[in-house]
Amino acid sequence: MPKKIDFDTEGVTITIPDQKRKINARKLGLGSMESMPAKQGGFQPARLVVNFELYDEDQPDSNLVEFEQPFELKVRYTKADRQRAEGSGGALALGFWDGSTWVRFTPEKHGFRLLPDADPEKGGFGVVSILRWG
């Protein structure tokens, strides 16, 4: 049975399908935009949402980066997020800090998609599938 981990305050849900290991997630410090600058012309998020790592419950000091099956990451976006993206001439996007630069999730590599709420004016979720992390 898949494991569902909610970070309610951040509007983030991680769903981990059955794996050989018992996997869990923990929040880490978020950092700041200043400490994670975008490369010239590269992806830059409008706001930071969450920083987390996945670990093996039998080895709590571990930091897992590869999985037998991809986990799903859902991140809530708001009406303000959508308006900000449209106002800058872009579309809503989701990305991650890889330790040296921001990387945009893509439909081709990460299955990135938007799932609007029943009333799309309220917002929705950005969703990705991740098989390899970090």
Side-chain angles (χ1 to χ4, degrees):
M1 173 172 237
K3 181 173 195 158
K4 187 175 169 184
I5 302 159
D6 290 311
F7 297 126
D8 293 326
T9 304
E10 294 80 5
V12 172
T13 300
I14 300 167
T15 304
I16 304 168
D18 289 337
Q19 310 275 322
K20 292 177 185 170
R21 300 170 282 204
K22 290 186 254 173
I23 299 174
N24 209 335
R26 63 180 149 235
K27 270 197 295 188
L28 303 172
L30 195 54
S32 67
M33 290 281 208
E34 294 77 28
S35 67
M36 298 178 281
K39 289 186 178 177
Q40 179 90 16
F43 172 72
Q44 175 70 53
R47 68 180 173 97
L48 299 178
V49 178
V50 70
N51 183 17
F52 68 92
E53 68 182 3
L54 300 175
Y55 65 94
D56 184 333
E57 290 181 0
D58 293 330
Q59 298 176 348
D61 292 335
S62 65
N63 177 17
L64 301 176
V65 296
E66 291 187 43
F67 309 92
E68 292 95 47
Q69 297 182 62
F71 71 90
E72 180 183 81
L73 175 66
K74 286 175 64 175
V75 178
R76 174 153 286 289
Y77 68 85
T78 65
K79 180 180 179 179
D81 292 330
R82 189 175 38 77
Q83 289 173 332
R84 186 174 34 248
E86 291 168 356
S88 66
L92 278 170
L94 187 61
F96 65 96
W97 179 253
D98 74 355
S100 62
T101 191
W102 286 101
V103 177
R104 183 188 308 256
F105 286 116
T106 66
E108 299 78 21
K109 189 170 182 181
H110 312 103
F112 174 69
R113 62 197 183 283
L114 296 175
L115 298 176
D117 288 340
D119 177 357
E121 284 298 309
K122 292 184 178 180
F125 288 93
V127 182
V128 294
S129 294
I130 301 167
L131 184 60
R132 180 188 273 291
W133 185 246

